[in-house]
Amino acid sequence: MIFTIAAKELKSLFFSPLAWVVLTCTQLILAFFFLKRIDDFMQIQAQLIQMSSPPGITELVAAPLFATTAVLLLFAVPLLAMRLIAEERRNQTMVMLLSAPLSMTEIVLGKFVGLVLFLWMIVLLTALMPFTLLLGGQLDFGLLASLTMGVALLAACFAAVGIYASCVTAQPLVAAMIAFGALLGMLLAGDAASDGLRSGGWAVPAALAQVFAPLKNFESFAKGSLDSASIACMLLLIVVFLVLTIRRLDAVRLRG
Amino acid sequence: MDERTNEITVSAQHLLRKFGAHTAVNDVSLTLKRGEILGFLGPNGAGKTTTMQMLTGNLAPTNGAVSICGIDLFEHPTAAKARLGYLPEHPPLYRELSVQEYVQLAAKLHRVAKNSIDSAVQNALARCGLTDVGKKLIGSLSKGYQQRVGIAQAIVHQPDVVILDEPTVGLDPNQIREIRKLIRELGDNHSVILSTHILPEVESVCDRVQILHHGTTVYNDTIAGLKQFHGGGMVVLGLKRPPDISAIAALPGIGRVEAMGDTQFRVSFNGKSDASEDLARHAVEKSWGLYQLAPAQSSLEDVFVNLTQKEEIN
């Protein structure tokens, strides 16, 4: 049932120009960035050879590429997520889902999965770009896999925040602004809060704050290490916002 | 067969819904048997839509219980909802989907078995006269066709109970006739609750009427009962200085007297003879301040107007 809703969301996304515009823009920007990084790499290649253990092309080209993807997702996800619930409520189509024999959890998870599958398409297309480098060099597949997984998880985190923002208002644009504000705020404040708390010696609050610092959690992936704490923090963030969404929608049914 | 027709499909007890301090629905109860069509009437803001939202699980009541085919809607919402089909006031249509895709989606969401989805969709499209437009996008259809798509969505999973909120709004007279015919057909093997403003619609389609006003039930009877009860041989008597009700009943030729507010009475006569003339003479002689003597309501419209505008008249 979750996949029926997810498939419907994906279908609706691709029937609207928004999905195509977002895919086009992200691909153009990322392709430009990718080529630029390769250009830079060629220029410093001579100096790199002189180093004792020079960083590889994966580190110098692919890692920044994925970091840029993360930033682009920060802008794209609020726009893609805003319609999920807000638009259905404004168009009064939510009634169809609410009167069908579905639990609120199934509805929210279905929408979440639909959006995440779309975002993973962007991630996959990004991950394919570095593969062209195999023509003239070698890739660090371990780092590439870790980067892909990191961005994929990050995208899911953003999607969870986006879907929550979409359920607090019936105005899609307001939802997008809320999601964008929340994500940006989390990136700025989450990192600082968790670092500050840790240096103050408060380990538990620091760990909790780290849940709300998705970009900080992404950093370990970018270094090629699969840190179980980071993965747990990201999964926790997803769960927190999905549960908030489900509870919020249940409350709407109670309050009308 | 008898057992089947007497099976109660919808039972709602003492539904109460408050929005803040405002009480939208106050102590509304209703029961519906299989094969029955219930007309749900009331002026705007009477609480019809709110009641329907509660019956379909879209809105939780402040108080009260709903069960669909004996399954409690709040304890087992998914099992109960599987037996419901709902067309809300604004049909919940995804304009970017084609008619066929949309009805298919509705079938899937209502957990129609995978191998019977196609036949269920074709059946629903055929019943709603949509077979020819199955490939068109919903957004490009006219209002009447969109309304039919909304109905197709509500019946595709063969629910025991179909709830239609103003299904004929915005349709042309031909379409209205078709939809009414469809509703009557639905009534053969589903229970239908139908809300509308159009009174002849209720008279021509429904078995029973329930009128809501200010969130409470003010009338609940079968159409047959309505015609019988409010049929000929009765008059409405309006007196500015009404005597005790027994004084009117004591007049010769008078059968039953019912108060309809402070100054109006519904009077039936003993036997077949019309004693209106005597009644008028007595009223004038005793200076009760006669201001109205008219045949009692015989149409639903009169009942409706009478019940929902009482305050304004008085």
mmCIF file of all heavy atoms in Angstrom, chain A residues 1 4-5 8 11-12 15 88 92-93 95-103 106 253-256, chain B residues 17 19 57-60 78 81-82 86 88 90 92-94 96 102 105-106 108-111:
data_model
loop_
_atom_site.group_PDB
_atom_site.id
_atom_site.type_symbol
_atom_site.label_atom_id
_atom_site.label_comp_id
_atom_site.label_asym_id
_atom_site.label_seq_id
_atom_site.Cartn_x
_atom_site.Cartn_y
_atom_site.Cartn_z
ATOM 1 N N MET A 1 0.837 -1.204 0.000
ATOM 2 C CA MET A 1 0.000 0.000 0.000
ATOM 3 C C MET A 1 0.872 1.254 0.000
ATOM 4 O O MET A 1 0.571 2.230 -0.685
ATOM 5 C CB MET A 1 -0.881 -0.024 1.249
ATOM 6 C CG MET A 1 -2.200 0.663 1.094
ATOM 7 S SD MET A 1 -2.993 0.543 -0.502
ATOM 8 C CE MET A 1 -3.487 -1.172 -0.561
ATOM 9 N N THR A 4 1.954 1.823 -3.448
ATOM 10 C CA THR A 4 0.908 2.379 -4.308
ATOM 11 C C THR A 4 0.899 3.895 -4.199
ATOM 12 O O THR A 4 0.826 4.615 -5.201
ATOM 13 C CB THR A 4 -0.469 1.832 -3.877
ATOM 14 O OG1 THR A 4 -0.410 0.416 -3.851
ATOM 15 C CG2 THR A 4 -1.554 2.286 -4.822
ATOM 16 N N ILE A 5 0.990 4.377 -2.962
ATOM 17 C CA ILE A 5 0.990 5.833 -2.759
ATOM 18 C C ILE A 5 2.284 6.434 -3.297
ATOM 19 O O ILE A 5 2.278 7.477 -3.952
ATOM 20 C CB ILE A 5 0.807 6.162 -1.266
ATOM 21 C CG1 ILE A 5 -0.501 5.587 -0.768
ATOM 22 C CG2 ILE A 5 0.834 7.667 -1.045
ATOM 23 C CD1 ILE A 5 -0.734 5.771 0.712
ATOM 24 N N LYS A 8 2.098 6.720 -6.964
ATOM 25 C CA LYS A 8 1.210 7.829 -7.337
ATOM 26 C C LYS A 8 1.933 9.164 -7.191
ATOM 27 O O LYS A 8 1.806 10.044 -8.048
ATOM 28 C CB LYS A 8 -0.032 7.782 -6.459
ATOM 29 C CG LYS A 8 -1.035 8.856 -6.720
ATOM 30 C CD LYS A 8 -1.349 9.631 -5.469
ATOM 31 C CE LYS A 8 -1.304 11.102 -5.722
ATOM 32 N NZ LYS A 8 -1.150 11.875 -4.526
ATOM 33 N N LYS A 11 4.398 9.541 -10.013
ATOM 34 C CA LYS A 11 3.682 9.816 -11.247
ATOM 35 C C LYS A 11 3.270 11.284 -11.289
ATOM 36 O O LYS A 11 3.468 11.966 -12.288
ATOM 37 C CB LYS A 11 2.443 8.911 -11.304
ATOM 38 C CG LYS A 11 2.003 8.558 -12.697
ATOM 39 C CD LYS A 11 0.722 7.775 -12.638
ATOM 40 C CE LYS A 11 0.895 6.342 -13.017
ATOM 41 N NZ LYS A 11 -0.377 5.602 -12.975
ATOM 42 N N SER A 12 2.698 11.752 -10.177
ATOM 43 C CA SER A 12 2.262 13.150 -10.122
ATOM 44 C C SER A 12 3.451 14.085 -10.312
ATOM 45 O O SER A 12 3.337 15.111 -10.971
ATOM 46 C CB SER A 12 1.599 13.454 -8.781
ATOM 47 O OG SER A 12 0.404 12.746 -8.659
ATOM 48 N N PHE A 15 4.350 14.251 -13.903
ATOM 49 C CA PHE A 15 3.348 14.896 -14.735
ATOM 50 C C PHE A 15 3.418 16.405 -14.591
ATOM 51 O O PHE A 15 2.828 17.124 -15.376
ATOM 52 C CB PHE A 15 1.942 14.413 -14.370
ATOM 53 C CG PHE A 15 1.611 13.077 -14.973
ATOM 54 C CD1 PHE A 15 0.809 12.175 -14.306
ATOM 55 C CD2 PHE A 15 2.104 12.738 -16.211
ATOM 56 C CE1 PHE A 15 0.512 10.949 -14.866
ATOM 57 C CE2 PHE A 15 1.810 11.517 -16.782
ATOM 58 C CZ PHE A 15 1.011 10.609 -16.102
ATOM 59 N N GLU A 88 -2.372 18.725 -1.405
ATOM 60 C CA GLU A 88 -3.516 17.804 -1.333
ATOM 61 C C GLU A 88 -4.596 18.376 -0.434
ATOM 62 O O GLU A 88 -5.782 18.175 -0.661
ATOM 63 C CB GLU A 88 -3.067 16.445 -0.791
ATOM 64 C CG GLU A 88 -2.210 15.707 -1.775
ATOM 65 C CD GLU A 88 -2.684 14.290 -2.002
ATOM 66 O OE1 GLU A 88 -3.897 14.055 -1.940
ATOM 67 O OE2 GLU A 88 -1.827 13.424 -2.214
ATOM 68 N N GLN A 92 -8.147 19.655 -1.693
ATOM 69 C CA GLN A 92 -9.118 18.780 -1.037
ATOM 70 C C GLN A 92 -9.097 17.371 -1.606
ATOM 71 O O GLN A 92 -10.129 16.699 -1.670
ATOM 72 C CB GLN A 92 -10.517 19.371 -1.137
ATOM 73 C CG GLN A 92 -10.518 20.819 -0.721
ATOM 74 C CD GLN A 92 -11.856 21.305 -0.255
ATOM 75 O OE1 GLN A 92 -12.838 20.608 -0.303
ATOM 76 N NE2 GLN A 92 -11.890 22.508 0.247
ATOM 77 N N THR A 93 -7.919 16.922 -2.027
ATOM 78 C CA THR A 93 -7.809 15.550 -2.509
ATOM 79 C C THR A 93 -7.359 14.616 -1.390
ATOM 80 O O THR A 93 -7.417 13.407 -1.522
ATOM 81 C CB THR A 93 -6.801 15.442 -3.666
ATOM 82 O OG1 THR A 93 -5.628 16.141 -3.298
ATOM 83 C CG2 THR A 93 -7.360 16.033 -4.933
ATOM 84 N N VAL A 95 -8.842 13.989 1.135
ATOM 85 C CA VAL A 95 -10.015 13.224 1.581
ATOM 86 C C VAL A 95 -10.003 11.806 1.025
ATOM 87 O O VAL A 95 -10.368 10.853 1.707
ATOM 88 C CB VAL A 95 -11.305 13.950 1.131
ATOM 89 C CG1 VAL A 95 -12.525 13.230 1.639
ATOM 90 C CG2 VAL A 95 -11.296 15.379 1.608
ATOM 91 N N MET A 96 -9.544 11.687 -0.224
ATOM 92 C CA MET A 96 -9.539 10.367 -0.844
ATOM 93 C C MET A 96 -8.641 9.404 -0.068
ATOM 94 O O MET A 96 -9.004 8.259 0.165
ATOM 95 C CB MET A 96 -9.050 10.491 -2.273
ATOM 96 C CG MET A 96 -8.964 9.156 -2.960
ATOM 97 S SD MET A 96 -8.875 9.405 -4.706
ATOM 98 C CE MET A 96 -8.462 7.796 -5.250
ATOM 99 N N LEU A 97 -7.484 9.900 0.340
ATOM 100 C CA LEU A 97 -6.569 9.041 1.095
ATOM 101 C C LEU A 97 -7.119 8.774 2.495
ATOM 102 O O LEU A 97 -7.012 7.671 3.016
ATOM 103 C CB LEU A 97 -5.192 9.693 1.194
ATOM 104 C CG LEU A 97 -4.468 9.912 -0.137
ATOM 105 C CD1 LEU A 97 -3.153 10.624 0.079
ATOM 106 C CD2 LEU A 97 -4.230 8.577 -0.810
ATOM 107 N N LEU A 98 -7.722 9.817 3.080
ATOM 108 C CA LEU A 98 -8.205 9.663 4.456
ATOM 109 C C LEU A 98 -9.420 8.747 4.526
ATOM 110 O O LEU A 98 -9.638 8.081 5.533
ATOM 111 C CB LEU A 98 -8.555 11.040 5.056
ATOM 112 C CG LEU A 98 -7.383 11.974 5.288
ATOM 113 C CD1 LEU A 98 -7.850 13.276 5.911
ATOM 114 C CD2 LEU A 98 -6.345 11.326 6.182
ATOM 115 N N SER A 99 -10.240 8.711 3.468
ATOM 116 C CA SER A 99 -11.418 7.831 3.527
ATOM 117 C C SER A 99 -11.101 6.419 3.059
ATOM 118 O O SER A 99 -11.917 5.536 3.208
ATOM 119 C CB SER A 99 -12.584 8.361 2.686
ATOM 120 O OG SER A 99 -12.407 9.666 2.329
ATOM 121 N N ALA A 100 -9.934 6.242 2.449
ATOM 122 C CA ALA A 100 -9.555 4.894 2.027
ATOM 123 C C ALA A 100 -9.086 4.112 3.258
ATOM 124 O O ALA A 100 -8.702 4.699 4.259
ATOM 125 C CB ALA A 100 -8.445 4.973 0.993
ATOM 126 N N PRO A 101 -9.167 2.786 3.179
ATOM 127 C CA PRO A 101 -8.732 1.989 4.338
ATOM 128 C C PRO A 101 -7.213 1.988 4.499
ATOM 129 O O PRO A 101 -6.551 0.996 4.262
ATOM 130 C CB PRO A 101 -9.277 0.585 4.031
ATOM 131 C CG PRO A 101 -9.486 0.556 2.570
ATOM 132 C CD PRO A 101 -9.732 1.946 2.120
ATOM 133 N N LEU A 102 -6.683 3.146 4.870
ATOM 134 C CA LEU A 102 -5.241 3.293 5.050
ATOM 135 C C LEU A 102 -4.994 3.904 6.411
ATOM 136 O O LEU A 102 -5.773 4.732 6.859
ATOM 137 C CB LEU A 102 -4.672 4.260 4.015
ATOM 138 C CG LEU A 102 -4.899 3.984 2.542
ATOM 139 C CD1 LEU A 102 -4.510 5.202 1.736
ATOM 140 C CD2 LEU A 102 -4.077 2.796 2.125
ATOM 141 N N SER A 103 -3.891 3.520 7.044
ATOM 142 C CA SER A 103 -3.542 4.197 8.279
ATOM 143 C C SER A 103 -2.757 5.452 7.920
ATOM 144 O O SER A 103 -2.222 5.575 6.814
ATOM 145 C CB SER A 103 -2.706 3.286 9.166
ATOM 146 O OG SER A 103 -1.450 3.079 8.562
ATOM 147 N N GLU A 106 0.714 4.731 6.846
ATOM 148 C CA GLU A 106 0.890 4.299 5.462
ATOM 149 C C GLU A 106 0.883 5.489 4.509
ATOM 150 O O GLU A 106 1.678 5.541 3.561
ATOM 151 C CB GLU A 106 -0.229 3.324 5.071
ATOM 152 C CG GLU A 106 -0.054 1.940 5.631
ATOM 153 C CD GLU A 106 -1.243 1.043 5.333
ATOM 154 O OE1 GLU A 106 -2.386 1.451 5.606
ATOM 155 O OE2 GLU A 106 -1.014 -0.055 4.827
ATOM 156 N N ARG A 253 -7.264 15.615 12.120
ATOM 157 C CA ARG A 253 -8.515 14.869 12.050
ATOM 158 C C ARG A 253 -9.344 15.072 13.328
ATOM 159 O O ARG A 253 -10.557 15.089 13.289
ATOM 160 C CB ARG A 253 -8.196 13.397 11.845
ATOM 161 C CG ARG A 253 -9.397 12.518 11.812
ATOM 162 C CD ARG A 253 -9.180 11.331 10.942
ATOM 163 N NE ARG A 253 -8.063 10.520 11.390
ATOM 164 C CZ ARG A 253 -7.746 9.365 10.820
ATOM 165 N NH1 ARG A 253 -8.438 8.939 9.814
ATOM 166 N NH2 ARG A 253 -6.735 8.671 11.260
ATOM 167 N N LEU A 254 -8.638 15.220 14.441
ATOM 168 C CA LEU A 254 -9.355 15.435 15.702
ATOM 169 C C LEU A 254 -9.919 16.837 15.797
ATOM 170 O O LEU A 254 -11.050 17.028 16.225
ATOM 171 C CB LEU A 254 -8.418 15.198 16.890
ATOM 172 C CG LEU A 254 -8.125 13.743 17.210
ATOM 173 C CD1 LEU A 254 -7.084 13.651 18.299
ATOM 174 C CD2 LEU A 254 -9.393 13.037 17.641
ATOM 175 N N ARG A 255 -9.110 17.817 15.371
ATOM 176 C CA ARG A 255 -9.546 19.194 15.555
ATOM 177 C C ARG A 255 -10.374 19.709 14.400
ATOM 178 O O ARG A 255 -11.153 20.627 14.535
ATOM 179 C CB ARG A 255 -8.334 20.108 15.774
ATOM 180 C CG ARG A 255 -7.898 20.156 17.222
ATOM 181 C CD ARG A 255 -6.782 21.152 17.455
ATOM 182 N NE ARG A 255 -5.508 20.690 16.947
ATOM 183 C CZ ARG A 255 -4.913 21.164 15.883
ATOM 184 N NH1 ARG A 255 -5.463 22.137 15.195
ATOM 185 N NH2 ARG A 255 -3.766 20.686 15.478
ATOM 186 N N GLY A 256 -10.204 19.133 13.229
ATOM 187 C CA GLY A 256 -10.976 19.560 12.071
ATOM 188 C C GLY A 256 -10.395 20.805 11.433
ATOM 189 O O GLY A 256 -9.399 21.304 11.830
ATOM 190 N N ARG B 17 -20.133 17.155 17.526
ATOM 191 C CA ARG B 17 -18.876 17.704 17.044
ATOM 192 C C ARG B 17 -18.822 19.188 17.361
ATOM 193 O O ARG B 17 -19.706 19.947 16.965
ATOM 194 C CB ARG B 17 -18.755 17.504 15.539
ATOM 195 C CG ARG B 17 -17.531 18.147 14.936
ATOM 196 C CD ARG B 17 -16.271 17.421 15.337
ATOM 197 N NE ARG B 17 -15.165 18.356 15.483
ATOM 198 C CZ ARG B 17 -13.890 17.981 15.524
ATOM 199 N NH1 ARG B 17 -13.556 16.733 15.429
ATOM 200 N NH2 ARG B 17 -12.961 18.874 15.674
ATOM 201 N N PHE B 19 -16.462 22.697 17.163
ATOM 202 C CA PHE B 19 -15.290 23.400 16.663
ATOM 203 C C PHE B 19 -15.080 24.564 17.615
ATOM 204 O O PHE B 19 -15.747 25.579 17.505
ATOM 205 C CB PHE B 19 -15.513 23.910 15.242
ATOM 206 C CG PHE B 19 -15.629 22.806 14.227
ATOM 207 C CD1 PHE B 19 -16.849 22.457 13.683
ATOM 208 C CD2 PHE B 19 -14.499 22.108 13.823
ATOM 209 C CE1 PHE B 19 -16.944 21.441 12.747
ATOM 210 C CE2 PHE B 19 -14.584 21.097 12.880
ATOM 211 C CZ PHE B 19 -15.807 20.761 12.354
ATOM 212 N N GLY B 57 -14.905 8.885 8.692
ATOM 213 C CA GLY B 57 -13.619 8.846 9.386
ATOM 214 C C GLY B 57 -12.668 9.954 8.997
ATOM 215 O O GLY B 57 -11.485 9.897 9.308
ATOM 216 N N ASN B 58 -13.170 10.976 8.300
ATOM 217 C CA ASN B 58 -12.309 12.099 7.976
ATOM 218 C C ASN B 58 -12.180 13.066 9.143
ATOM 219 O O ASN B 58 -11.270 13.882 9.181
ATOM 220 C CB ASN B 58 -12.850 12.857 6.761
ATOM 221 C CG ASN B 58 -12.395 12.249 5.476
ATOM 222 O OD1 ASN B 58 -11.301 12.534 5.012
ATOM 223 N ND2 ASN B 58 -13.208 11.368 4.918
ATOM 224 N N LEU B 59 -13.116 12.984 10.044
ATOM 225 C CA LEU B 59 -13.150 13.898 11.167
ATOM 226 C C LEU B 59 -13.556 13.077 12.381
ATOM 227 O O LEU B 59 -14.466 12.263 12.296
ATOM 228 C CB LEU B 59 -14.198 14.978 10.876
ATOM 229 C CG LEU B 59 -14.244 16.220 11.719
ATOM 230 C CD1 LEU B 59 -12.970 17.022 11.517
ATOM 231 C CD2 LEU B 59 -15.435 17.070 11.321
ATOM 232 N N ALA B 60 -12.855 13.267 13.473
ATOM 233 C CA ALA B 60 -13.209 12.511 14.666
ATOM 234 C C ALA B 60 -14.304 13.263 15.412
ATOM 235 O O ALA B 60 -14.216 14.469 15.574
ATOM 236 C CB ALA B 60 -11.986 12.354 15.562
ATOM 237 N N THR B 78 -9.504 0.867 9.494
ATOM 238 C CA THR B 78 -9.251 0.398 8.131
ATOM 239 C C THR B 78 -10.290 -0.629 7.697
ATOM 240 O O THR B 78 -10.749 -0.598 6.562
ATOM 241 C CB THR B 78 -7.835 -0.190 7.983
ATOM 242 O OG1 THR B 78 -7.574 -1.021 9.095
ATOM 243 C CG2 THR B 78 -6.790 0.885 7.935
ATOM 244 N N LYS B 81 -13.484 1.335 6.970
ATOM 245 C CA LYS B 81 -13.391 2.191 5.785
ATOM 246 C C LYS B 81 -13.393 1.377 4.499
ATOM 247 O O LYS B 81 -13.766 1.882 3.442
ATOM 248 C CB LYS B 81 -12.116 3.038 5.850
ATOM 249 C CG LYS B 81 -12.241 4.230 6.785
ATOM 250 C CD LYS B 81 -10.932 4.970 6.836
ATOM 251 C CE LYS B 81 -10.977 6.104 7.835
ATOM 252 N NZ LYS B 81 -9.664 6.753 7.942
ATOM 253 N N ALA B 82 -12.957 0.116 4.587
ATOM 254 C CA ALA B 82 -12.957 -0.718 3.393
ATOM 255 C C ALA B 82 -14.375 -0.938 2.888
ATOM 256 O O ALA B 82 -14.582 -1.279 1.729
ATOM 257 C CB ALA B 82 -12.283 -2.055 3.687
ATOM 258 N N TYR B 86 -16.924 7.156 -0.505
ATOM 259 C CA TYR B 86 -17.282 8.520 -0.126
ATOM 260 C C TYR B 86 -16.999 9.470 -1.279
ATOM 261 O O TYR B 86 -15.895 9.494 -1.823
ATOM 262 C CB TYR B 86 -16.477 8.911 1.107
ATOM 263 C CG TYR B 86 -16.693 10.318 1.615
ATOM 264 C CD1 TYR B 86 -17.940 10.921 1.597
ATOM 265 C CD2 TYR B 86 -15.637 11.047 2.160
ATOM 266 C CE1 TYR B 86 -18.124 12.202 2.083
ATOM 267 C CE2 TYR B 86 -15.808 12.332 2.663
ATOM 268 C CZ TYR B 86 -17.051 12.898 2.612
ATOM 269 O OH TYR B 86 -17.233 14.170 3.094
ATOM 270 N N PRO B 88 -16.931 13.316 -1.475
ATOM 271 C CA PRO B 88 -17.104 14.558 -0.726
ATOM 272 C C PRO B 88 -17.662 15.671 -1.609
ATOM 273 O O PRO B 88 -17.819 15.487 -2.824
ATOM 274 C CB PRO B 88 -15.699 14.894 -0.234
ATOM 275 C CG PRO B 88 -14.772 14.037 -0.999
ATOM 276 C CD PRO B 88 -15.535 12.980 -1.707
ATOM 277 N N HIS B 90 -16.350 18.435 -2.637
ATOM 278 C CA HIS B 90 -15.429 18.687 -3.747
ATOM 279 C C HIS B 90 -14.816 17.339 -4.105
ATOM 280 O O HIS B 90 -14.085 16.787 -3.307
ATOM 281 C CB HIS B 90 -14.315 19.643 -3.321
ATOM 282 C CG HIS B 90 -14.825 20.963 -2.861
ATOM 283 N ND1 HIS B 90 -15.026 22.004 -3.724
ATOM 284 C CD2 HIS B 90 -15.206 21.396 -1.646
ATOM 285 C CE1 HIS B 90 -15.503 23.022 -3.050
ATOM 286 N NE2 HIS B 90 -15.625 22.687 -1.783
ATOM 287 N N PRO B 92 -12.455 14.559 -4.825
ATOM 288 C CA PRO B 92 -10.998 14.578 -4.634
ATOM 289 C C PRO B 92 -10.277 14.041 -5.858
ATOM 290 O O PRO B 92 -9.787 12.928 -5.853
ATOM 291 C CB PRO B 92 -10.796 13.664 -3.424
ATOM 292 C CG PRO B 92 -11.930 12.720 -3.481
ATOM 293 C CD PRO B 92 -13.073 13.420 -4.152
ATOM 294 N N LEU B 93 -10.231 14.839 -6.920
ATOM 295 C CA LEU B 93 -9.698 14.341 -8.185
ATOM 296 C C LEU B 93 -8.269 14.804 -8.401
ATOM 297 O O LEU B 93 -7.947 15.962 -8.148
ATOM 298 C CB LEU B 93 -10.563 14.847 -9.338
ATOM 299 C CG LEU B 93 -12.046 14.518 -9.254
ATOM 300 C CD1 LEU B 93 -12.796 15.167 -10.399
ATOM 301 C CD2 LEU B 93 -12.256 13.016 -9.274
ATOM 302 N N TYR B 94 -7.429 13.882 -8.858
ATOM 303 C CA TYR B 94 -6.081 14.265 -9.274
ATOM 304 C C TYR B 94 -6.158 14.614 -10.749
ATOM 305 O O TYR B 94 -6.231 13.741 -11.599
ATOM 306 C CB TYR B 94 -5.096 13.129 -9.023
ATOM 307 C CG TYR B 94 -4.935 12.809 -7.561
ATOM 308 C CD1 TYR B 94 -5.385 11.620 -7.026
ATOM 309 C CD2 TYR B 94 -4.338 13.732 -6.710
ATOM 310 C CE1 TYR B 94 -5.242 11.344 -5.679
ATOM 311 C CE2 TYR B 94 -4.188 13.464 -5.365
ATOM 312 C CZ TYR B 94 -4.647 12.274 -4.851
ATOM 313 O OH TYR B 94 -4.509 12.006 -3.517
ATOM 314 N N GLU B 96 -4.171 15.549 -12.902
ATOM 315 C CA GLU B 96 -3.108 15.187 -13.846
ATOM 316 C C GLU B 96 -3.200 13.720 -14.278
ATOM 317 O O GLU B 96 -2.477 13.299 -15.166
ATOM 318 C CB GLU B 96 -1.737 15.490 -13.240
ATOM 319 C CG GLU B 96 -1.337 14.627 -12.051
ATOM 320 C CD GLU B 96 -1.805 15.196 -10.712
ATOM 321 O OE1 GLU B 96 -2.699 16.067 -10.722
ATOM 322 O OE2 GLU B 96 -1.277 14.769 -9.678
ATOM 323 N N TYR B 102 -6.926 7.045 -12.530
ATOM 324 C CA TYR B 102 -7.443 7.518 -11.249
ATOM 325 C C TYR B 102 -8.344 6.476 -10.582
ATOM 326 O O TYR B 102 -8.210 6.194 -9.399
ATOM 327 C CB TYR B 102 -8.208 8.827 -11.480
ATOM 328 C CG TYR B 102 -8.888 9.350 -10.248
ATOM 329 C CD1 TYR B 102 -8.157 9.951 -9.236
ATOM 330 C CD2 TYR B 102 -10.262 9.234 -10.090
ATOM 331 C CE1 TYR B 102 -8.773 10.420 -8.100
ATOM 332 C CE2 TYR B 102 -10.890 9.702 -8.958
ATOM 333 C CZ TYR B 102 -10.135 10.297 -7.969
ATOM 334 O OH TYR B 102 -10.744 10.748 -6.841
ATOM 335 N N LEU B 105 -6.289 3.770 -9.291
ATOM 336 C CA LEU B 105 -5.650 4.151 -8.028
ATOM 337 C C LEU B 105 -6.632 3.983 -6.874
ATOM 338 O O LEU B 105 -6.287 3.430 -5.817
ATOM 339 C CB LEU B 105 -5.160 5.599 -8.111
ATOM 340 C CG LEU B 105 -4.598 6.192 -6.822
ATOM 341 C CD1 LEU B 105 -3.284 5.532 -6.455
ATOM 342 C CD2 LEU B 105 -4.395 7.701 -6.961
ATOM 343 N N ALA B 106 -7.877 4.440 -7.092
ATOM 344 C CA ALA B 106 -8.890 4.316 -6.043
ATOM 345 C C ALA B 106 -9.104 2.860 -5.678
ATOM 346 O O ALA B 106 -9.216 2.503 -4.506
ATOM 347 C CB ALA B 106 -10.203 4.949 -6.506
ATOM 348 N N LYS B 108 -6.953 0.400 -5.995
ATOM 349 C CA LYS B 108 -5.776 -0.096 -5.261
ATOM 350 C C LYS B 108 -5.801 0.390 -3.827
ATOM 351 O O LYS B 108 -5.538 -0.362 -2.898
ATOM 352 C CB LYS B 108 -4.493 0.395 -5.937
ATOM 353 C CG LYS B 108 -4.089 -0.420 -7.133
ATOM 354 C CD LYS B 108 -2.735 0.080 -7.641
ATOM 355 C CE LYS B 108 -2.509 -0.352 -9.067
ATOM 356 N NZ LYS B 108 -1.483 0.478 -9.723
ATOM 357 N N LEU B 109 -6.115 1.683 -3.645
ATOM 358 C CA LEU B 109 -6.116 2.245 -2.289
ATOM 359 C C LEU B 109 -7.177 1.568 -1.426
ATOM 360 O O LEU B 109 -7.039 1.479 -0.214
ATOM 361 C CB LEU B 109 -6.370 3.758 -2.333
ATOM 362 C CG LEU B 109 -5.249 4.615 -2.890
ATOM 363 C CD1 LEU B 109 -5.657 6.075 -2.934
ATOM 364 C CD2 LEU B 109 -3.972 4.463 -2.087
ATOM 365 N N HIS B 110 -8.244 1.097 -2.072
ATOM 366 C CA HIS B 110 -9.291 0.423 -1.307
ATOM 367 C C HIS B 110 -9.070 -1.080 -1.241
ATOM 368 O O HIS B 110 -9.987 -1.842 -0.959
ATOM 369 C CB HIS B 110 -10.673 0.741 -1.900
ATOM 370 C CG HIS B 110 -11.164 2.096 -1.483
ATOM 371 N ND1 HIS B 110 -11.065 3.196 -2.281
ATOM 372 C CD2 HIS B 110 -11.717 2.523 -0.334
ATOM 373 C CE1 HIS B 110 -11.547 4.242 -1.653
ATOM 374 N NE2 HIS B 110 -11.958 3.872 -0.465
ATOM 375 N N ARG B 111 -7.858 -1.483 -1.562
ATOM 376 C CA ARG B 111 -7.432 -2.873 -1.392
ATOM 377 C C ARG B 111 -8.285 -3.859 -2.181
ATOM 378 O O ARG B 111 -8.622 -4.940 -1.685
ATOM 379 C CB ARG B 111 -7.449 -3.263 0.096
ATOM 380 C CG ARG B 111 -6.504 -2.416 0.925
ATOM 381 C CD ARG B 111 -6.607 -2.776 2.390
ATOM 382 N NE ARG B 111 -5.980 -1.771 3.239
ATOM 383 C CZ ARG B 111 -4.684 -1.742 3.532
ATOM 384 N NH1 ARG B 111 -3.884 -2.638 3.066
ATOM 385 N NH2 ARG B 111 -4.201 -0.800 4.318
#
